[in-house]
Each structure stands twice: as structure tokens, then as C-alpha cells.
Amino acid sequence: MSAPWQKNGYEAVIGLEIHVQLATNSKLFCSCANQFGDEPNTNVCMVCLAHPGAMPVANAEAIRQATRVGVALGCRIPETSEFSRKQYFYPDSPKAYQISQYDQPMCAEGLFRVPGEGGFDVRLTRAHLEEDAAKMIHAGGEGGRISGSAGSIVDFNRVGTPLLEIVSEPDIRSPEDARRFLTLLRATVVAIGASDCDMEKGSLRADANVSIRPIGSTEYGTKTELKNMNSFRFLERGIEAELERQLEVVLGGGSIEQETLHFDPVAGTLSSLRSKEQAHDYRYFPEPDLLPVHQTEAGLVELGSDLPELPAARFDRLVAAGLTEPTALALAVDADLARYLDAVATDTGDLKTSANWTMGEFSAHLNGAGLSANQSPVTPERLAALIALVVDGTINQTAAKEVFGVLVEDPQATAAGVVVDRNLAQVGGDDALGEIIDAVLAAHPEEVEAFKGGREQVIGFLVGQCMKQSGGRADAKALQGLLRARLNG
Amino acid sequence: MSAERIELGPDEVRHVATLARLGLDDAEVERLAGELETILGHVATISALPIADVPPTAHSLDVAGALREDVAKPGVTREQALANAPDPSVDGFRVPPIGS
Amino acid sequence: MAAIDVIGLTAERAAAMLRAGECSSEELAGAYLERIEAFDPALHAYLHVDPELTLAAARTQDQSGNVGLAGVPIAYKDLLSTKGVPTTAGSKILEGFIPLEDADVVARGNAAGLVSLGKTNLDEFAMGSSTEHSAYGPTRNPWDQTRVPGGSSGGSAAVVAAGLAPWSLGTDTGGSIRQPAAFCGLVGLMPTYGTVSRFGVVAFACSLEQVGPMTLTVRDCALLQQVIAGGSERDATCVGLREPIVLPEPGRLDGVRFGVPWAELEDGVDPGIRERFDASLKLATELGAELVDVELPYARHGLAAYYVIAPAEASANLSRFDGVRYGLRVDGPDLRSMYEATRSAGFGPEVKRRIMIGTYALSAGYHDAYYVQAQRVRTLIRRDFDAAFLGVDAILLPTAPTTAFPMGARMDDPLAMYANDIFTLPVNLAGIPALSIPNGLVEGLPSGLQIIGAAHTENTLLRFGAAFEQAIGFDPVPPTLRGGAA
């Protein structure tokens, strides 16, 4: 792992509770559409409004996706799972109970590997299905916050959306590791198509349980819960801030109170949402309106074999193929880009060069244009053709970048065609270069003297002049070699 | 049917009432305490039965769950949704402030 | 045209009359509506009647030509959602509530062409055994108006017994169809759990209840069960019938083995009820059946288990009544006071009692001792029945330990009220079917015989019921009606 957070003899103990909104067509227990952004209360029905006589019927696809996530994260999938009623009164919960899973969740314990040199394992406690709550729009009050408001309006569009709650053991030892763990977990869920995991839209939510303890201790300190951090950066900063706060309290002789906190990323401050001392009595019992879910050995095997390459495995594969860890990681968490690279590398037969181009020029172009890899006009075949021309020496790097620019602008252009059209073929061959060298050396006698006098660095200037003469098309390496030979000879 | 002696103090009754969001006045708390003591006294007889290794029944049926195909269907209109609302706003259900 | 005499008119006969063109659905519905107007004020069996709506529906059936059961009137317990028609569940908290959809059973009734006469009275949220816990006032027993009709489907029973509907639907969680059927001299069926859809039925205790018919005859019961039973996409616990319901023909009972749990009858049964029960047993042997002693040792713990499980589920099911989306709201300065004021004002004392018991039984510290333990007892009761059915075709018991008691007699003693269900609620706990048929009168009040079967043996129960019915020859029309009055 990255350097663990350790200060004044204390270490960080961090666990994450992650909610993933599954990408199904319909809600978990009714047939309303599972979609975002509708006008309030236009995506509802008798069931998700909890009218008298309404009954839930479980979405088969949600169960399938939840199982796939469990398998992808390395969880054991029990043969039977049950739905439970989790009871509490709040306007965002129309039945005054949430249908969740209590003692027989969809996915049981697992081990999630963050790979690489600084890699580490995080034990997963469980993952279970539950329905999302409604949205409350707080009227009045400052910035839409609850306290000081003049009541609220409830929008039930979101209620009943399928969520998978993934709980980790407190195995994480630094805010950075929390971010790395979440990044890789997110990439895994996205890779299998179970969710788009967009923190801004709320289809990925992460809460952190944070505590500190003396280094070497095996007991756990009192933990606080950090909620509603809606970006990876805020997660990391929020955990950092909370660790500092707890340290300050403890060093000052105080004790940590169990509470729920909110991190304000703008101000960088933590505030208490509610005290967890009055823990809810959820009065869980098995949901009588839903029958248990059964998994078969055969079904699970099929699900498992059907999964695409997962990020951790991709990372291992790319590192083994010779890419650096940072490159491998960037590709591991971006499935589209990784697929793109695979296609290019298969074509060119040169993974390293293909990776350099993919992570370099191509990624810059994607970022600038706001495109994903499969939306770019520069298809793997077109890039591969360009790379081939660089590798075989037809063009140099500078020219290649120019060609790339044209490939972006003009979807019809081919690399070879552009090279011809713009006369970008590298100036190479001893004769052509020899002529240029002659001209430059003749024009700069002082520099020649300087070089012969021991100031070898002027060769850079001379190379530059030669490049200018060649219109930027000279093969720089060959040039350097020839120049040196001439100057020394 | 034999009965057990169950004692419910007013605090406990109030606690249960709070869990259930039932507002009870003092007279009701006292009355309910007595009634619940009597009823619970009878139902508590099962607590003593030596049946700890009998699996509890959660469902009468011995079948696996009936599942629904993942197809989105139209529900009700907003107008219909708000038709029975005690305090509708233009587009939603109004509720009082959360308070303490 | 002479007014149609609907007193004692079975649905089967009414359907035949309609098909033969002897009368129209509009005339038939009109005849019931006249009687409702004249006699329901005293009985208070209906909560909601809309004559215009009924007659319009009847006319529609007439226009389509009355085939099958089309055009036959019916009454629905006000626990069943009816689209566009108020549904109160007998509670103030749902006063004025208009459902967005029909319950599945109502939709099936509509598809069969049945014409709704209205919504019948019930104990609030089906919690009770006398209909005295209705927030809208009690219903009177047509056999003796100083007495209760039973509950919670008291209104559904009274309308059929009083000739205010040919048949009706009730719901049964611990005996709420069978016991009022017994008190009112009717046939009532508690179907096998999971054979009739609960979608749109205001939930009391999900794992225990079913919708079922309340009728004048066993054949009518089978006819109505054919309409309502079957799988549903909107109820995950409704897996439907294993075999279609068959209309029974009366006959003998040769070779039939009836189990009788004599140990359960030792005390708590009125002498008159016991006498009628013994007479039924004798009749059974005369019809060729054999009587076998069976033991149901855990059945006597059924009451305790039931009064943990049912209130526990109910406490959760009734939490949705919070003044936010529908129903009564009593305002408060903040959310919690609104919740508490609304639910306090909206629920009656029996409902509050059960919510409290249920919440207590599920709360931290008591969950295992009460709720889980009760579910273990339930397993044992089911095993008792399963074992008994290995050796017998059906089990016989009185439906209720007494006849209809006077109004007010048990209101001060919840446990005495609960004791009404000692013979019926083990059936719900086990999820098996049971048929109640009248087996005579005790001092002028009807007594009921309960025939209990293994899961999915409705056809067997109906056949047995038809045999008893023919042999007993009970007249389901109260003498007062024969005299021309209500």
C-alpha cells in the first residue's frame, strides 16, 4: 500500500460503505423506469408510492447484476438469500420500511485485491441489494440543508431504484488507499456493465468509517461515519480531515464520540449530521411478500465465465507485458481505453509504442475533445498505421504528431496519404543528411571550433540548425551520429 | 393457557410508541401498559418452549421466488399520484420541517 | 314486472336466470339495491353503496349479453381496493381514500362480469372478530340484531345472510372469513395460501392472509373461487392453483377418513356448539366416513404464536399510514408530531394495541424470544398438520367455540375476543385451506363446522362440504327474512 497514515504513534483504520446504483431498465420492486432526471413524481406507481395493497416483485436483472458484481469482487455467493424489512420513519421511505437484506445477503465475504507494487488487499464483509430512498427537496433553509428549513417536498421518482450496498472491513490504512481502493472497485463494477458508477449523478456513493488507534494495537477505536462525499478527491480529503480531527481530540486528552459527519470540501471543515448514539432499532424481519432467492452452482459458473477481463487482471497482464505500473493502472481502470490499446497493439505488434501513443497523443485528444475511446474518429486501425510509419523510420516524432492531428480533423485521411501530401517523409540517408551537415557546419564555424575545443553541448545547437534546414524532417538520431562523426573526425 | 407475568413500565410503553410513531397521552400509556401486560403475558408462554433447534417459518410456501422481467412500464401520472395527497405542492408531497 | 325475490337466491341460480333472460342484471341489481336501502340502515353492513354506478355497470353487462356469471351482483369487503371507489379498510386514517387501481381479485370479478353492489364493513384493518372495531360503527347479525356478525369480514357475512347480496368476498387472516360465516349461517372458504392474489388487498398480516368467498351454498363458493383464484404477476407469493377448482356434486363419504383432534375440544367450547359438532360427526359416519383421532399438540400454542406474528407484520404494514401521501393528516409543527398526531387520531384502540404488540415483539431484545420463537411454533404446527394428513383426508373441528355473542360482550377483554379464533388461526399459520359450512342452529343461532385439508385440497374440501350440506339441509335464510322483514 501507499505510505500508511501514521502520526504521533497512531494509525488510521478506515472502512468504506459503498452504494452502487445498478443499471437496470426498471426499479427493483416495480416496473417504473430506472432513470435519472425526470420531472418530480412522474416516474411513480402504486407500488413505489406505497399505496395500501401494493406489493413488491423482485427484478430478475437486478439480482443477476448484483450476483455478477459479487463474483467480480471475489465474494462468496450463498445458495439462498432473503429480503428483509428495515423499519424507520422518514418521508423519503414511503413504506416506513426499506426492503433490504439483513442476515442472508446476496453476496457474503470476499477479498478485493488492489494490485501492483503498492498493492494491498481489502476484505469485503458483504454486498446486499436494497431499494433507494426518495428525494427530499428542502424548501427554505440555507443551501437546501435540512436544519432551519420550512418543510420539504418529496419527489418519489428515485424511490425503489436498485442499490447494491458493498461493505468493506476496516482494512484501509490511508486516505490515499481509500481512494485507490474505490477507484479500482468502481472500475471493476463499470467493466462488467453493472452500473455507470457516476458519483456526480449519485449512481456511486461512498461513506467512510474512520477511526484511529495506537500503532500495533489490535483493538478498534470509536469510529465516526463520513457521509455524502461525492467525488474521489473529496473522499480522500474528507478522510484526511477527519483523521486529523480525531488525532487532535485524542492528543488533547478527549475521546471520540460516535457520530455521523459531513465534509464540506469548499471550507475543508467537518460538521455533525446526527449523533449515532441513539442508534436506530430497525426491527429487521424477513420480508413476507418476497420469497427467498436461490442460486445454482451451474448458474454461478456460467456468470463467472461470462465476465470480461477485470481491472486487476488487466493490470497484471499489462505489467507482465512490460508496461510501467502507472500506465498499466491507468489502462486497468479505463476499459474503453484498454480495449483500444489492445486493438492497436495487436495490429502493430508493439505494445510499448502503442501504449505510449495511446496514453500520450490519443488520450490528450480524447480529453480535449471530450470523447471516449470508441467515439474518436482515430480508430485503432488508423493509429496503428501511423505508428507503423514511425517504427519503420518513415517519419519522425514531430511529423508523426502532425499526421495525428490530420487524422483527427479528417476522418477520411490515411497516415500514409498525409505523409505524401505534406512531404513529411523523414530526411534520412547519409547523402541527404551529409549535404545539410556540410551547409550548417560551413555557416557556423564558431560553434565548430567550440565543439572541438571541448564544449560538446553546442552539438545541440548544430542539430537544431540541421533540423531547421531539413524543414524538421531529418531523422534526429541519425543526424546526431553523423554530426558527431564529422566533428570528431 | 397459562400466563406469564410481564411488567411494562410507562417508559417502556412510551419507547415502543415512539418506535411506532403513535402519539399517546398519559391515560393511554397507562391503559395500554395494562392491556399489553395481559396480552403479552399469554403470548410469552411460547418463549419457554424448548424448541430452539426448530427452524422458524418465514414463508408458508416451499417455492423459490417469483421474479419480474426487467421491462419498464408506465406507472401513474403525477396528477394521479397527488390525487390523494393531504398537502400537495405543484409537483410533490409537502411535509413539515424535520425538526429536532 | 314482479319484483325479483332475492331472498335465498344463490349466485348460481341468479346466473341461470340471467342467461335464460328471466330478468336483466339491472333488474337484479335493482332488487338488491332496494333491499339495501330498506334494511341496511339497521344492519350497517355496507360502508359504501353507489346505486348509479351499480346500475350503470349492470346495464353494461346486459348490453354484452349475460354469459357465464356476467351480470351477477357481488359485494366486496372494504379491504379490497376498488379503482375510483372509496376504500377505507374500516379506518378513519383512510377516510376518503380513492385507490388508483382495482385489487387483482376485483379485476377478476370485473372480467367475469360481476356487478359490485358496494363495499362492506369490517373490523378496522381486519383486526378483530366481531366488526365492532370498525371506525364507522358495528354491523349487526341478521339472525339476531343484538348480536355481532363475527369479524373481521362481518359486513360481507351480513350482506349475504340478509339478502343484500347473493355472495361476497372477505379476507381471512386468523379466521376472518370462516368465523363470520359460522356466525351468520354461511359457507366460507379460507383458500390455500398463495392461490389467490393479495395485490390491492390492504395488508394486515402478509404471510397469513388470503381473500376468499362467502356464500349461501358450497357450489356458489366453488363458483366464486373459480373466479378469484390463480397466479398473479403482481403478487410474488401468489403461485396459483395446482389444479382447477371443480364444482362439487353432493354425494356420500364412503371411504373418507376424517381426523378429529379430540384433545383440543376438551375445554373452551360451548355445549351447544359441541352438540352440533358431535351431530356432524355422527352424520359423517352415516355417510360412510371413518373418524380417526389425530393429535395437534402445538395447535394450542397457535393463539400465542398468531398474536405475535400477525401484529408484528401488521406493525410494519401499517407504518405507511403516515399522513404524507394519502389518507388522514393531522398537522404538527414538525414531522414527528405530525406522524404521531396523525396515527393517534387515525387508528382505533384495537389497531393501536396490535401495533404496539407487534413493535414490541420485533424490537431489540425481544425479537428472538417473541417473533422468532413464534415462527418456530408455526413450523411445529405445520408439521402437526402434515403428520395428521398422512393418515386422514381432512380434519374436522368446530369453526368457532361459540355462536354469535351479544354486541359489546367482549369489547373490554381483548383476550376473550382473541379466543374466538382458537380453531381457525392454526390453519392460517400452516398456510392450508379450510371450509366452514353451517351445521345447524344453537338456540336459534347458526353453528359452523370446519373442514380442514392439506395444501391444495380445495376440491376435496368442497366435495366433503357438499355432502355435509345436502345431508344437513340447513336453511341459510334467517327466519326473520322469511317473514318479510330484514
Side-chain angles (χ1 to χ4, degrees):
Chain A
M1 47 189 173
S2 2
W5 185 97
Q6 288 178 341
K7 290 189 181 180
N8 298 85
Y10 284 88
E11 66 172 357
V13 176
I14 303 161
L16 293 188
E17 251 173 54
I18 298 147
H19 285 89
V20 167
Q21 213 172 65
L22 297 175
T24 55
N25 296 324
S26 59
K27 292 184 178 181
L28 184 51
F29 297 116
C30 71
S31 300
C32 288
N34 176 7
Q35 65 197 22
F36 180 79
D38 290 315
E39 282 294 303
N41 292 300
T42 55
N43 190 16
V44 293
C45 72
M46 193 180 140
V47 176
C48 54
L49 286 172
H51 273 215
M55 294 184 71
V57 184
N59 182 334
E61 180 64 10
I63 288 170
R64 196 178 81 92
Q65 291 298 353
T67 310
R68 292 178 80 232
V69 173
V71 170
L73 296 183
C75 294
R76 176 176 68 84
I77 310 292
E79 206 222 304
T80 306
S81 67
E82 266 267 25
F83 289 103
S84 320
R85 292 188 180 181
K86 178 180 180 181
Q87 305 187 64
Y88 62 95
F89 279 86
Y90 207 65
D92 68 3
S93 180
K95 295 186 290 295
Y97 58 84
Q98 176 198 42
I99 302 180
S100 176
Q101 295 187 298
Y102 181 57
D103 53 359
Q104 292 189 53
M106 188 82 38
C107 314
E109 72 286 344
L111 190 69
F112 188 76
R113 186 172 65 92
V114 177
E117 275 272 321
F120 56 98
D121 290 339
V122 178
R123 289 169 301 165
L124 299 177
T125 318
R126 53 187 270 152
H128 72 255
L129 270 173
E130 61 183 35
E131 50 179 350
D132 205 348
K135 239 197 213 139
M136 295 195 42
I137 308 157
H138 299 292
E142 243 191 53
R145 295 293 310 284
I146 297 174
S147 58
S149 70
S152 318
I153 297 176
V154 193
D155 169 14
F156 290 97
N157 282 349
R158 193 182 69 180
V159 79
T161 302
L163 294 179
L164 187 67
E165 179 177 323
I166 304 165
V167 183
S168 88
E169 295 285 331
D171 290 351
I172 300 169
R173 293 283 168 268
S174 73
E176 190 191 332
D177 276 355
R179 182 179 46 77
R180 292 171 65 202
F181 164 69
L182 189 61
T183 302
L184 204 69
L185 186 139
R186 177 193 178 277
T188 307
V189 175
V190 171
I192 68 173
S195 169
D196 65 0
C197 284
D198 184 336
M199 275 181 108
E200 272 174 45
K201 285 194 356 223
S203 53
L204 174 70
R205 301 166 215 166
D207 301 331
N209 291 318
V210 181
S211 67
I212 62 175
R213 67 180 176 190
I215 297 171
S217 164
T218 50
E219 308 257 303
Y220 288 120
T222 305
K223 64 176 187 221
T224 58
E225 193 185 357
L226 270 164
K227 286 187 93 73
N228 304 333
M229 291 167 292
N230 56 12
S231 82
F232 289 87
R233 244 177 23 99
F234 296 160
L235 178 88
E236 191 176 347
R237 286 180 53 208
I239 296 173
E240 178 79 51
E242 175 56 10
L243 287 167
E244 294 294 335
R245 184 195 74 84
Q246 288 196 12
L247 184 68
E248 201 180 311
V249 168
V250 164
L251 290 180
S255 58
I256 306 298
E257 266 182 43
Q258 201 176 28
E259 54 184 332
T260 304
L261 298 164
H262 167 76
F263 176 65
D264 181 341
V266 175
T269 54
L270 294 155
S271 51
S272 190
L273 280 181
R274 59 178 176 266
S275 171
K276 250 204 166 172
E277 271 183 79
Q278 288 175 331
H280 283 281
D281 181 356
Y282 291 117
R283 307 189 296 290
Y284 288 98
F285 69 102
E287 169 59 73
D289 284 340
L290 293 171
L291 300 177
V293 174
H294 292 293
Q295 308 273 14
T296 63
E297 187 77 49
L300 289 175
V301 166
E302 199 191 319
L303 259 180
S305 63
D306 205 35
L307 293 177
E309 184 183 43
L310 298 180
R314 179 177 302 131
F315 176 90
D316 290 342
R317 175 170 67 81
L318 294 175
V319 165
L323 298 189
T324 65
E325 288 215 353
T327 303
L329 187 65
L331 288 162
V333 300
D334 189 338
D336 283 341
L337 201 60
R339 261 193 296 277
Y340 185 91
L341 170 60
D342 280 347
V344 173
T346 306
D347 208 321
T348 63
D350 180 341
L351 178 63
K352 281 216 176 103
T353 310
S354 303
N356 287 339
W357 273 92
T358 303
M359 301 311 295
E361 288 295 311
F362 183 69
S363 286
H365 142 67
L366 290 183
N367 288 338
L371 295 171
S372 68
N374 41 21
Q375 291 172 329
S376 167
V378 183
T379 62
E381 302 75 43
R382 299 177 78 212
L383 181 59
L386 170 57
I387 291 172
L389 294 179
V390 175
V391 166
D392 73 13
T394 305
I395 51 176
N396 65 16
Q397 281 292 115
T398 317
K401 289 185 183 179
E402 188 179 331
V403 174
F404 183 84
V406 180
L407 292 182
V408 171
E409 299 291 314
D410 178 4
Q412 302 302 319
T414 63
V418 175
V419 168
V420 169
D421 286 348
R422 295 189 176 200
N423 194 23
L424 293 173
Q426 200 161 211
V427 174
D430 291 359
D431 293 341
L433 287 179
E435 275 180 38
I436 293 173
I437 289 172
D438 286 344
V440 166
L441 291 183
H444 298 282
E446 309 84 41
E447 280 75 12
V448 174
E449 284 307 313
F451 182 87
K452 288 188 173 165
R455 278 178 56 212
E456 299 223 344
Q457 58 269 46
V458 313
I459 199 165
F461 170 77
L462 293 169
V463 167
Q465 289 300 304
C466 290
M467 286 297 280
K468 243 172 85 173
Q469 283 271 33
S470 76
R473 282 157 37 224
D475 178 348
K477 262 177 71 178
L479 192 56
Q480 265 241 18
L482 282 174
L483 249 181
R484 230 175 242 282
R486 282 287 293 278
L487 290 166
N488 287 329
Chain B
M1 194 171 31
S2 60
E4 303 223 338
R5 180 117 190 79
I6 303 281
E7 283 186 19
L8 279 180
D11 282 344
E12 191 154 18
V13 174
R14 284 192 194 284
H15 171 67
V16 175
T18 300
L19 286 176
R21 296 298 186 272
L22 287 175
L24 302 176
D25 61 36
D26 290 339
E28 274 179 302
V29 170
E30 205 185 314
R31 183 175 55 80
L32 271 169
E35 286 170 357
L36 294 184
E37 279 174 355
T38 310
I39 297 168
L40 289 169
H42 278 275
V43 306
T45 53
I46 58 172
S47 306
L49 291 173
I51 54 175
D53 52 355
V54 176
T57 297
H59 307 279
S60 297
L61 301 174
D62 297 322
V63 291
L67 299 176
R68 181 175 48 84
E69 225 186 284
D70 185 29
V71 175
K73 295 181 185 163
V76 300
T77 64
R78 176 155 73 200
E79 206 174 43
Q80 287 173 305
L82 293 175
N84 284 291
D87 189 7
S89 66
V90 166
D91 54 7
F93 300 82
R94 254 198 295 254
V95 292
I98 309 300
S100 53
Chain C
M1 196 214 63
I4 304 165
D5 183 10
V6 299
I7 293 177
L9 179 67
T10 64
E12 192 175 9
R13 173 94 191 94
M17 284 163 61
L18 288 165
R19 284 194 301 272
E22 286 171 36
C23 68
S24 69
S25 177
E26 189 177 358
E27 284 163 347
L28 192 54
Y32 283 107
L33 287 170
E34 256 181 56
R35 285 190 59 76
I36 290 168
E37 192 180 341
F39 303 116
D40 193 56
L43 290 174
H44 191 51
Y46 277 103
L47 288 180
H48 182 87
V49 177
D50 184 341
E52 283 314 310
L53 200 65
T54 298
L55 292 171
R59 279 193 288 271
T60 305
Q61 293 309 318
D62 285 329
Q63 273 151 27
S64 318
N66 294 318
V67 189
L69 293 171
V72 175
I74 186 168
Y76 292 119
K77 182 175 184 178
D78 204 21
L79 203 61
L80 309 182
S81 296
T82 42
K83 180 173 179 173
V85 173
T87 301
T88 66
S91 178
K92 284 287 188 224
I93 216 165
L94 277 180
E95 191 164 22
F97 173 71
I98 313 272
L100 300 179
E101 297 193 45
D102 286 321
D104 275 352
V105 292
V106 172
R108 281 172 170 264
N110 292 340
L114 300 179
V115 173
S116 174
L117 289 166
K119 311 298 291 296
T120 61
N121 200 12
L122 65 157
D123 284 297
E124 186 179 1
F125 286 108
M127 298 182 192
S129 311
S130 68
T131 310
E132 293 171 292
H133 287 295
S134 167
Y136 298 96
T139 295
R140 298 180 178 282
N141 190 323
W143 288 78
D144 176 343
Q145 292 193 22
T146 67
R147 294 175 183 265
V148 302
S152 61
S153 310
S156 284
V159 297
V160 178
L164 305 186
W167 56 8
S168 67
L169 285 182
T171 67
D172 191 315
T173 309
S176 292
I177 286 175
R178 291 161 286 158
Q179 183 252 32
F183 277 17
C184 293
L186 301 175
V187 175
L189 174 69
M190 166 64 195
T192 303
Y193 184 80
T195 56
V196 183
S197 171
R198 288 182 295 115
F199 184 85
V201 181
V202 183
F204 159 21
C206 315
S207 75
L208 299 169
E209 58 206 13
Q210 287 287 274
V211 179
M214 302 185 74
T215 61
L216 292 168
T217 63
V218 173
R219 276 179 70 88
D220 267 7
C221 183
L223 265 174
L224 189 47
Q225 187 64 3
Q226 283 177 338
V227 174
I228 64 170
S232 167
E233 278 182 359
R234 301 201 290 181
D235 173 354
T237 64
C238 180
V239 295
L241 296 167
R242 290 219 186 129
E243 58 188 30
I245 299 292
V246 173
L247 291 189
E249 297 296 339
R252 286 182 53 84
L253 296 168
D254 298 294
V256 175
R257 290 162 61 85
F258 285 126
V260 184
W262 267 290
E264 307 311 315
L265 298 168
E266 249 143 54
D267 39 34
V269 185
D270 267 11
I273 295 284
R274 182 63 195 262
E275 185 274 322
R276 287 286 84 216
F277 182 68
D278 290 341
S280 301
L281 295 180
K282 183 152 174 290
L283 195 55
T285 57
E286 283 164 15
L287 290 170
E290 200 190 317
L291 301 176
V292 177
D293 181 26
V294 293
E295 298 207 333
L296 302 171
Y298 282 94
R300 67 193 60 175
H301 295 292
L303 195 84
Y306 176 87
Y307 278 101
V308 170
I309 295 167
E313 292 182 4
S315 70
N317 289 330
L318 267 56
S319 295
R320 66 191 60 197
F321 301 104
D322 58 8
V324 174
R325 288 145 291 117
Y326 46 76
L328 179 74
R329 174 189 290 199
V330 176
D331 279 303
D334 60 27
L335 189 68
R336 188 163 137 184
S337 15
M338 187 275 276
Y339 282 157
E340 290 182 350
T342 296
R343 291 162 64 77
S344 181
F347 291 137
E350 180 61 32
V351 170
K352 283 180 185 164
R353 262 192 291 274
R354 301 215 192 179
I355 289 176
M356 293 289 285
I357 294 171
T359 305
Y360 182 88
L362 289 173
S363 65
Y366 297 107
H367 179 265
D368 281 344
Y370 284 94
Y371 180 76
V372 180
Q373 193 74 342
Q375 296 284 37
R376 292 191 182 107
V377 170
R378 190 174 175 176
T379 302
L380 292 167
I381 291 175
R382 177 65 191 257
R383 286 183 186 171
D384 280 353
F385 277 113
D386 286 347
F389 286 126
L390 289 176
V392 300
D393 301 301
I395 291 171
L396 300 178
L397 273 172
T399 304
T402 69
T403 54
F405 45 86
M407 307 208 70
R410 300 197 182 190
M411 286 295 270
D412 292 333
D413 186 355
L415 279 173
M417 189 69 88
Y418 298 164
N420 270 288
D421 298 328
I422 48 169
F423 297 134
T424 47
L425 48 84
V427 167
N428 301 79
L429 288 167
I432 54 180
L435 182 72
S436 178
I437 60 163
N439 65 350
L441 294 172
V442 177
E443 289 171 23
L445 295 169
S447 156
L449 170 71
Q450 191 181 190
I451 313 170
I452 303 168
H456 301 287
T457 58
E458 278 87 334
N459 285 331
T460 308
L461 299 181
L462 291 164
R463 179 168 76 84
F464 294 166
F468 276 110
E469 181 185 54
Q470 182 184 58
I472 293 168
F474 180 83
D475 180 2
V477 178
T480 47
L481 262 69
R482 290 281 181 217

